[in-house]
Amino acid sequence: MGNKTVLKNNVVLVSEYMPHSHNAAIGFMFSVGSRHEKECERGISHFCEHMLFKGTKSRKRRDIVYAFDKMGGLVNAFTERDDVFMYSVLPSSPENISTVVEILCDMTQNCIFPADEIEKERTVIQNEISAVEDDIEESSIDQLADFIWHNQDLAQTITGSADDVASITREQLFDWYEKYFKNGPLTVFISGNFEIENVVSMLEKLPDRKNLDYSFNAKFYSGFKSKKSRFNQNQLYYMYPLRMPLDLRHYYTLLVFNALFGDTMTSRLFEHLREDRGLCYSVYSFMSCYSDTGVWGASVSCDLKQTLQTLDCLKKEFSTLCTDDFSDEEITLAKEHLCGEELMGCDDVEYVMKKLQRHYLLSLPLLDAQETIGTIRSIEKNDIIEFVSENIKNIKPAVFVYGKKIVRDFTI
């Protein structure tokens, strides 16, 4: 199973040793994201994420990527609303592990933000923003966030707007980096075949990390909203708030319930909306969990002419959840699907690393594959009924339509 250690410099190390693997995955998580940004700072966490790769006091941009390419590994990063995550997946050897940890530490402590690289990356990010705006599913998620968390920190986009990015100065970037990346909370995740003592000794060379006081209390807004877009289809969302925090049993009940309802090709949503009625191509259920709140619900892409029929079908599917009509067969199918995913993923060091991160962020036990499978198989029908009763029954959802035609005739 996974292990959590707080090092003497306050760096948190979360690890899972996989002795038979030929690979390793190493991730650095910085506890800052888009929800920490004020109006004049929109997109700055994401901008800093990009600049991590643009050179340090001892390495040029090409030196960084060259080192990873040379060993056949990869390096990447992403920004979320709560955090920034920088990680590498690599062939495991003592030399490779040492090289990667040293480079990631260097990027964490010694970035120099060259002015010419900032301007080039500013344009790259603005192109990224345009790409998101050209993708109905990507852009609709931002619009959904603005609806369900209106005027709150979670409502703002991760990248900021093109104008936001244009206004960010080098001084702002460097100050943000100093506060949150160089000196703020740092959690390091490592999975695969590695020598933990060597990793610890390298991480303990980092300066002491400061705990920053975050206080969030997001409010979920329910109701119905339709917003016009330039896309030729409509993107539909039917969302419910989750009661947080989730303990281990509630979390795995949610995973089983999600698989049963909309996360597999035999799920209710896929069978009833796509296979039986042919209303859509893309339909699934999903969840998003944060430190103080969470949401669960369904996403559907459909033709304009079929929007009201699809919304009515979604409403019916959600209403049937409150009848406690869950068959043993569909529960078993959902559980075994998740167990199969875990068995396939347990040899994948990146999968294991990101699972460690999810469990750490939700303050859940760091289970290994067999413990995970045992927990999944222990979920019973009554657990699902209780979950539905607490999170869906008598709870008003948020229903959002984003597309070419405004919808006015639907009632929740």
Side-chain angles (χ1 to χ4, degrees):
M1 66 183 298
N3 182 62
K4 173 189 167 185
T5 305
V6 180
L7 306 184
K8 62 184 182 182
N9 55 357
N10 216 29
V11 172
V12 178
L13 176 60
V14 182
S15 61
E16 183 165 335
Y17 182 51
M18 302 163 63
H20 302 296
S21 178
H22 296 290
N23 306 309
I26 305 168
F28 280 41
M29 185 180 76
F30 308 97
S31 299
V32 63
S34 57
R35 73 181 309 185
H36 298 81
E37 300 163 0
K38 298 177 182 178
E39 188 172 350
C40 61
E41 301 163 337
R42 301 287 190 247
I44 194 169
S45 299
H46 178 251
F47 205 149
C48 274
E49 173 225 309
H50 278 241
M51 293 306 301
L52 292 173
F53 296 85
K54 299 305 173 182
T56 69
K57 294 175 182 177
S58 60
R59 288 180 172 90
K60 294 183 178 180
R61 174 195 59 80
R62 194 173 186 280
D63 296 331
I64 294 172
V65 294
Y66 180 88
F68 291 97
D69 282 351
K70 184 179 179 182
M71 68 179 68
L74 65 85
V75 63
N76 206 346
F78 56 84
T79 302
E80 298 286 0
R81 287 174 165 82
D82 267 345
D83 55 75
V84 173
F85 197 72
M86 173 176 65
Y87 69 97
S88 174
V89 181
L90 61 145
S92 183
S93 72
E95 296 78 13
N96 285 350
I97 296 287
S98 294
T99 297
V100 168
V101 173
E102 195 276 322
I103 293 174
L104 295 181
C105 287
D106 190 29
M107 295 165 70
T108 298
Q109 292 298 124
N110 300 309
C111 285
I112 57 174
F113 293 80
D116 60 332
E117 293 288 354
I118 288 175
E119 296 313 312
K120 285 187 290 185
E121 209 58 27
R122 195 189 305 275
T123 302
V124 169
I125 294 170
Q126 288 170 331
N127 281 322
E128 182 182 352
I129 292 168
S130 295
V132 169
E133 292 173 347
D134 282 339
D135 184 312
I136 186 171
E137 195 163 359
E138 291 279 351
S139 58
S140 64
I141 283 288
D142 286 338
Q143 297 296 329
L144 173 68
D146 184 61
F147 173 42
I148 62 178
W149 294 304
H150 189 59
N151 283 337
Q152 299 175 82
D153 47 70
L154 279 176
Q156 62 195 51
T157 64
I158 291 170
T159 60
S161 68
D163 288 342
D164 290 330
V165 174
S167 69
I168 295 173
T169 66
R170 182 181 182 276
E171 290 72 24
Q172 281 181 296
L173 284 168
F174 197 76
D175 288 346
W176 197 262
Y177 171 78
E178 285 271 330
K179 180 177 181 180
Y180 291 106
F181 291 77
K182 187 173 179 178
N183 295 300
L186 172 64
T187 308
V188 176
F189 300 87
I190 182 166
S191 61
N193 197 338
F194 54 87
E195 296 177 0
I196 189 67
E197 295 81 6
N198 187 43
V199 174
V200 168
S201 66
M202 296 183 72
L203 292 176
E204 286 186 335
K205 294 177 183 177
L206 291 169
D208 291 351
R209 312 297 291 198
K210 298 176 183 177
N211 287 320
L212 301 176
D213 185 22
Y214 306 131
S215 180
F216 297 119
N217 187 22
K219 177 184 177 183
F220 178 91
Y221 286 92
S222 58
F224 175 75
K225 182 177 181 180
S226 179
K227 186 169 183 177
K228 193 170 184 179
S229 77
R230 56 187 174 81
F231 296 103
N232 290 322
Q233 282 197 315
N234 279 343
Q235 191 75 22
L236 319 180
Y237 292 95
Y238 214 107
M239 306 300 299
Y240 286 86
L242 290 173
R243 292 190 179 186
M244 301 295 285
L246 296 169
D247 63 21
L248 186 68
R249 193 157 192 87
H250 282 101
Y251 175 69
Y252 278 96
T253 298
L254 172 57
L255 292 186
V256 173
F257 173 64
N258 185 61
L260 177 157
F261 188 71
D263 194 38
T264 68
M265 293 180 68
T266 54
S267 66
R268 293 184 177 189
L269 286 183
F270 196 90
E271 283 283 328
H272 297 168
L273 271 70
R274 174 172 164 156
E275 298 300 293
D276 292 348
R277 297 178 177 85
L279 291 173
C280 55
Y281 172 71
S282 174
V283 54
Y284 58 90
S285 60
F286 69 101
M287 70 197 80
S288 295
C289 297
Y290 303 95
S291 58
D292 56 322
T293 189
V295 292
W296 173 84
S299 170
V300 186
S301 299
C302 69
D303 187 82
L304 303 180
K305 296 177 182 178
Q306 296 171 314
T307 298
L308 280 175
Q309 185 183 358
T310 304
L311 284 170
D312 286 336
C313 286
L314 276 174
K315 182 178 179 180
K316 180 180 178 182
E317 291 300 324
F318 279 94
S319 66
T320 60
L321 292 175
C322 301
T323 65
D324 303 341
D325 183 25
F326 302 103
S327 71
D328 292 338
E329 181 184 16
E330 65 178 339
I331 293 171
T332 298
L333 189 62
K335 292 197 292 186
E336 292 309 310
H337 172 82
L338 292 171
C339 291
E341 285 187 336
E342 181 66 21
L343 284 171
M344 288 189 291
C346 68
D347 293 326
D348 181 340
V349 293
E350 183 176 352
Y351 172 92
V352 173
M353 176 188 68
K354 290 180 178 178
K355 177 185 166 187
L356 289 173
Q357 185 203 20
R358 288 194 302 274
H359 278 233
Y360 175 80
L361 286 172
L362 293 172
S363 299
L364 300 176
L366 304 172
L367 306 184
D368 64 20
Q370 291 307 314
E371 291 169 324
T372 299
I373 290 170
T375 304
I376 293 169
R377 288 184 173 152
S378 74
I379 301 302
E380 299 175 348
K381 182 176 180 177
N382 284 339
D383 294 310
I384 297 174
I385 292 172
E386 180 183 347
F387 175 84
V388 170
S389 177
E390 291 179 352
N391 291 277
I392 296 172
K393 191 177 289 187
N394 300 320
I395 304 295
K396 188 175 181 181
V399 182
F400 181 61
V401 179
Y402 185 62
K404 197 167 186 177
K405 186 177 180 180
I406 294 289
V407 177
R408 304 186 189 278
D409 302 326
F410 180 74
T411 55
I412 299 175

